[in-house]
């Protein structure tokens, strides 16, 4: 069962076409294991990307070095998944 | 309903399929279940048919959950199924629709992915088909339709989450829907339900040029979004896929539109709280309720504008 402890989801906001292209190049970097929840498209349209804990620093450094604006959308993906699992267990017990 | 099924919770596939059977048993005069194919891992693909009779009536197609991890869509579809069944006979708008048209609802469009997202990887989006020569599994089933296949906004890398697959319709989950729609021959609306960032879109995604019915579909989508917003104030962005979200080729509603189904729309349901498709279960029913108003608005237009 795959876990996502420490993974974050970043909302990235490219402000021009060059930054969009940089994000597309970032997306193609298989070793970073990025999971784009919303793909990069046009300037001023956000892209959301789940970044494994191990690669967070690399990705943030990449974004900052290219002055690409981002914010943390989900602080810890595993915490969100755990919460969802708790809700499902609770609901199952309630049904029975 | 009569049973104790909790529509405000996320459920495994077996529970959803059982709930579909229960609905058929409860409303046998209106609801039936049809198997339209099997997934790659041999799970049945079931559609619920809502019909008051008549042969080969014009129909509305709805599918949900083609991207496995978007759980609120499968949940919304199941809630919608019960809503249609329980409101028939009480809602004049729905009555007039079902007295002339049928509705087909594919509650879980990607059952293998859905099961995988429950058991192995909550973030799984694709099918589970194997690609010869690659260690990576699965195809993005919403890049696999025969509409600008392999073009911009789809990846040829089997490891990508937007991998388009080896050829159009290579995924049996996609091919089964295509075959069903073609064999039916009288589908007048095609609505695909996703979840992310509250969008209501129409073709095209594979190109950024406008469709010839742009003005009408834009108007229909705006009316539907307004109806949806009226319940809880959820804001939707409306427009063609290409400009509203991103250019993406091989998508389902582009195929359906080019096939001749004018009223082709895709919903991206809410993710209020900025949790993406990890939407808290407490928001399933509100999401389904507001979506129902949007769906009904589209239904009414389709019913009143035969072509």
């Amino acid at each position: 069962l795959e876990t996502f402890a420490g993974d974050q989801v970043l909302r990235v906001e490219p402000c021009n076409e060059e930054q969009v292209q940089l994000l597309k190049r970032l997306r193609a970097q298989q070793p970073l294991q990025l999971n784009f929840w919303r793909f990069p498209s046009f300037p001023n349209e956000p892209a959301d990307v789940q970044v494994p804990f191990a690669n967070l620093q690399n990705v943030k450094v990449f974004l900052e070095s290219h002055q690409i604006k981002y914010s943390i959308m989900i602080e810890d993906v595993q915490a969100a998944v755990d919460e969802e699992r708790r809700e499902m267990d609770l609901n199952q017990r309630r049904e029975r | 309903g009569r049973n104790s099924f909790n529509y405000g919770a996320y459920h495994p596939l077996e529970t959803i399929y059982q709930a579909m059977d229960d609905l058929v048993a409860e409303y046998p005069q209106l609801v039936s279940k049809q198997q339209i194919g099997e997934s790659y891992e041999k799970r049945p693909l079931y559609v619920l048919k809502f019909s008051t009779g008549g042969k080969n009536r014009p129909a509305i197609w709805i599918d949900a959950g083609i991207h496995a991890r978007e759980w609120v869509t499968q949940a919304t579809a199941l809630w919608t199924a019960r809503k249609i069944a329980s409101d028939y006979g009480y809602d004049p708008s729905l009555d007039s629709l079902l007295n002339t048209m049928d509705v087909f609802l594919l509650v879980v469009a990607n059952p293998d992915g859905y099961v995988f997202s429950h058991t192995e990887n909550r973030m799984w989006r694709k099918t589970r088909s194997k690609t010869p020569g690659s260690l990576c599994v699965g195809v993005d089933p919403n890049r696999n339709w025969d509409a600008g296949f392999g073009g911009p906004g789809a990846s040829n890398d089997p490891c990508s989450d937007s991998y388009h697959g080896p050829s159009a319709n290579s995924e049996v989950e996609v091919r089964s829907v295509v075959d069903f729609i073609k064999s039916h021959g009288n589908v007048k609306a095609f609505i695909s339900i996703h979840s992310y960032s509250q969008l209501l879109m129409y073709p095209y995604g594979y190109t950024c040029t406008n469709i010839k019915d742009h003005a009408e579909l834009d108007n229909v989508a705006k009316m539907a979004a307004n109806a949806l917003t009226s319940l809880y104030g959820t804001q939707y962005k409306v427009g063609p896929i290409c400009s509203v979200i991103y250019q993406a080729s091989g998508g389902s509603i582009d195929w359906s539109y080019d096939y001749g189904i004018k009223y082709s729309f895709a919903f991206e349901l809410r993710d209020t709280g900025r949790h993406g498709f990890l939407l808290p279960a407490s928001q399933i029913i509100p999401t389904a309720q507001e979506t129902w108003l949007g769906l009904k608005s589209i239904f009414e237009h389709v019913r009143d504008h035969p072509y």
Side-chain angles (χ1 to χ4, degrees), chain B residues 103-132:
Chain B
V103 175
F104 291 93
L105 176 56
L106 178 60
V107 176
V108 186
N110 177 5
D112 295 349
Y114 188 72
V115 169
F116 196 74
S117 74
H118 268 264
T119 55
E120 302 286 341
N121 180 345
R122 175 64 182 88
M123 305 304 151
W124 193 257
R125 160 185 167 101
K126 301 192 284 183
T127 62
R128 292 296 301 164
S129 62
K130 292 186 173 63
T131 303

Coordinates of all heavy atoms in Angstrom, one line a residue, chain B residues 103-132:
Chain B
V103 N -32.3 7.7 -19.8 CA -31.0 8.2 -19.3 C -30.1 7.0 -19.0 O -30.6 6.0 -18.4 CB -31.2 9.0 -18.0 CG1 -29.8 9.4 -17.3 CG2 -32.0 10.3 -18.2
F104 N -28.9 7.0 -19.4 CA -27.9 5.9 -19.1 C -26.8 6.5 -18.2 O -26.3 7.6 -18.5 CB -27.3 5.4 -20.4 CG -28.2 4.6 -21.2 CD1 -28.9 5.2 -22.3 CD2 -28.5 3.3 -21.0 CE1 -29.8 4.5 -23.1 CE2 -29.4 2.6 -21.8 CZ -30.0 3.2 -22.8
L105 N -26.6 5.8 -17.1 CA -25.6 6.3 -16.2 C -24.5 5.2 -15.8 O -24.8 4.2 -15.3 CB -26.4 6.7 -14.9 CG -25.6 7.2 -13.7 CD1 -24.7 8.4 -14.0 CD2 -26.5 7.6 -12.5
L106 N -23.3 5.5 -16.2 CA -22.2 4.7 -15.9 C -21.6 5.2 -14.6 O -20.8 6.2 -14.7 CB -21.2 4.7 -17.1 CG -19.9 3.8 -16.9 CD1 -20.2 2.4 -16.7 CD2 -19.0 4.1 -18.1
V107 N -21.8 4.5 -13.5 CA -21.4 5.1 -12.2 C -19.9 5.0 -12.0 O -19.3 5.9 -11.4 CB -22.2 4.3 -11.1 CG1 -21.8 4.8 -9.7 CG2 -23.7 4.5 -11.3
V108 N -19.3 3.9 -12.4 CA -17.9 3.7 -12.2 C -17.3 3.3 -13.6 O -17.3 2.2 -14.0 CB -17.6 2.5 -11.2 CG1 -16.1 2.5 -10.9 CG2 -18.3 2.7 -9.9
A109 N -16.7 4.4 -14.2 CA -16.3 4.2 -15.6 C -14.9 3.4 -15.7 O -14.6 2.9 -16.7 CB -16.1 5.5 -16.3
N110 N -14.2 3.4 -14.6 CA -12.9 2.8 -14.5 C -12.7 2.0 -13.3 O -12.0 2.4 -12.3 CB -11.8 4.0 -14.6 CG -10.4 3.5 -14.5 OD1 -10.1 2.3 -14.5 ND2 -9.5 4.4 -14.4
P111 N -13.4 0.8 -13.2 CA -13.5 0.1 -12.0 C -12.1 -0.5 -11.5 O -11.9 -0.5 -10.3 CB -14.4 -1.1 -12.3 CG -14.6 -1.1 -13.8 CD -14.3 0.2 -14.3
D112 N -11.2 -0.8 -12.5 CA -9.9 -1.3 -12.0 C -9.2 -0.2 -11.3 O -8.5 -0.5 -10.3 CB -9.1 -1.8 -13.2 CG -9.7 -3.0 -14.0 OD1 -10.6 -3.6 -13.4 OD2 -9.2 -3.3 -15.1
G113 N -9.2 0.9 -11.9 CA -8.5 2.1 -11.3 C -9.1 2.4 -9.9 O -8.4 2.7 -9.0
Y114 N -10.4 2.3 -9.9 CA -11.1 2.6 -8.6 C -10.7 1.7 -7.5 O -10.4 2.1 -6.4 CB -12.6 2.6 -8.8 CG -13.5 3.1 -7.7 CD1 -13.5 4.4 -7.3 CD2 -14.2 2.2 -6.8 CE1 -14.2 4.9 -6.3 CE2 -14.9 2.6 -5.8 CZ -14.9 4.0 -5.5 OH -15.7 4.4 -4.4
V115 N -10.7 0.4 -7.8 CA -10.3 -0.6 -6.8 C -8.8 -0.4 -6.4 O -8.5 -0.4 -5.2 CB -10.5 -2.0 -7.4 CG1 -9.8 -3.1 -6.5 CG2 -12.0 -2.4 -7.5
F116 N -8.0 -0.1 -7.4 CA -6.6 0.1 -7.1 C -6.4 1.4 -6.2 O -5.6 1.4 -5.3 CB -5.8 0.3 -8.4 CG -4.3 0.2 -8.3 CD1 -3.7 -1.1 -8.1 CD2 -3.5 1.3 -8.3 CE1 -2.3 -1.2 -7.9 CE2 -2.1 1.2 -8.1 CZ -1.5 -0.1 -8.0
S117 N -7.2 2.4 -6.4 CA -7.1 3.6 -5.6 C -7.6 3.3 -4.2 O -7.2 4.0 -3.3 CB -7.9 4.7 -6.2 OG -9.3 4.5 -6.1
H118 N -8.4 2.3 -4.0 CA -8.9 1.9 -2.6 C -7.9 1.0 -1.9 O -7.8 1.0 -0.7 CB -10.2 1.2 -2.7 CG -11.4 2.1 -2.6 ND1 -12.0 2.4 -1.4 CD2 -12.0 2.9 -3.5 CE1 -13.0 3.3 -1.6 NE2 -13.0 3.6 -2.9
T119 N -7.2 0.2 -2.7 CA -6.4 -0.8 -2.1 C -4.9 -0.6 -2.1 O -4.1 -1.1 -1.3 CB -6.6 -2.2 -2.8 OG1 -6.4 -2.0 -4.2 CG2 -8.0 -2.6 -2.5
E120 N -4.4 0.2 -3.1 CA -2.9 0.3 -3.3 C -2.4 1.7 -3.3 O -1.4 2.0 -2.7 CB -2.5 -0.4 -4.6 CG -2.9 -1.9 -4.7 CD -2.0 -2.7 -3.8 OE1 -0.9 -2.3 -3.5 OE2 -2.4 -3.9 -3.5
N121 N -3.1 2.6 -4.1 CA -2.6 3.9 -4.3 C -3.7 4.9 -4.5 O -4.4 4.9 -5.5 CB -1.7 3.9 -5.5 CG -1.1 5.3 -5.8 OD1 -1.5 6.3 -5.3 ND2 -0.1 5.3 -6.7
R122 N -4.0 5.7 -3.4 CA -5.1 6.6 -3.4 C -5.1 7.6 -4.6 O -6.1 8.2 -5.0 CB -5.2 7.3 -2.1 CG -6.2 8.4 -1.9 CD -7.6 7.8 -2.0 NE -8.6 8.9 -1.9 CZ -9.1 9.6 -2.9 NH1 -8.7 9.4 -4.2 NH2 -10.1 10.5 -2.7
M123 N -3.9 7.8 -5.1 CA -3.7 8.9 -6.1 C -3.8 8.3 -7.6 O -3.5 9.0 -8.5 CB -2.3 9.5 -6.0 CG -2.0 10.1 -4.6 SD -3.3 11.3 -4.1 CE -3.2 11.1 -2.4
W124 N -4.2 7.0 -7.7 CA -4.2 6.4 -9.0 C -5.3 7.0 -9.9 O -6.5 7.2 -9.5 CB -4.5 4.9 -8.9 CG -4.2 4.2 -10.2 CD1 -5.1 3.8 -11.1 CD2 -2.9 4.0 -10.7 NE1 -4.4 3.2 -12.2 CE2 -3.1 3.4 -12.0 CE3 -1.6 4.2 -10.3 CZ2 -2.0 3.0 -12.8 CZ3 -0.5 3.9 -11.1 CH2 -0.7 3.2 -12.4
R125 N -5.0 7.3 -11.1 CA -5.9 8.0 -12.1 C -6.2 7.2 -13.3 O -7.3 7.3 -13.9 CB -5.1 9.3 -12.5 CG -5.6 10.0 -13.7 CD -4.6 11.2 -14.0 NE -4.7 11.8 -15.3 CZ -5.4 12.9 -15.5 NH1 -6.0 13.5 -14.6 NH2 -5.4 13.4 -16.8
K126 N -5.3 6.3 -13.7 CA -5.4 5.6 -15.0 C -6.1 4.3 -14.9 O -6.6 3.9 -13.9 CB -4.0 5.4 -15.6 CG -3.1 6.7 -15.7 CD -1.9 6.5 -16.5 CE -0.8 5.8 -15.8 NZ 0.5 5.7 -16.6
T127 N -6.1 3.6 -16.1 CA -6.6 2.2 -16.1 C -5.5 1.4 -15.5 O -4.5 1.9 -15.0 CB -6.8 1.8 -17.6 OG1 -5.6 1.8 -18.3 CG2 -7.9 2.6 -18.2
R128 N -5.6 0.0 -15.6 CA -4.6 -0.8 -15.1 C -4.0 -1.8 -16.2 O -3.5 -2.8 -15.9 CB -5.1 -1.7 -13.9 CG -5.5 -0.9 -12.7 CD -4.2 -0.3 -12.0 NE -3.2 -1.3 -11.6 CZ -2.0 -1.0 -11.4 NH1 -1.5 0.3 -11.4 NH2 -1.1 -1.9 -11.0
S129 N -4.2 -1.3 -17.4 CA -3.7 -2.2 -18.5 C -2.1 -2.2 -18.6 O -1.5 -1.2 -18.2 CB -4.2 -1.7 -19.8 OG -3.8 -0.4 -20.1
K130 N -1.6 -3.3 -19.0 CA -0.1 -3.4 -19.1 C 0.4 -2.9 -20.5 O -0.3 -3.2 -21.5 CB 0.3 -4.8 -18.8 CG 0.1 -5.2 -17.4 CD 0.6 -6.6 -17.1 CE 0.5 -6.9 -15.6 NZ -0.9 -7.0 -15.1
T131 N 1.5 -2.2 -20.5 CA 2.1 -1.7 -21.7 C 3.3 -2.6 -22.0 O 4.3 -2.6 -21.2 CB 2.5 -0.3 -21.6 OG1 1.4 0.5 -21.2 CG2 3.1 0.3 -22.9
P132 N 3.3 -3.3 -23.2 CA 4.5 -4.1 -23.5 C 5.7 -3.3 -23.6 O 5.7 -2.2 -24.1 CB 4.1 -4.7 -24.9 CG 2.6 -4.5 -25.1 CD 2.2 -3.4 -24.2

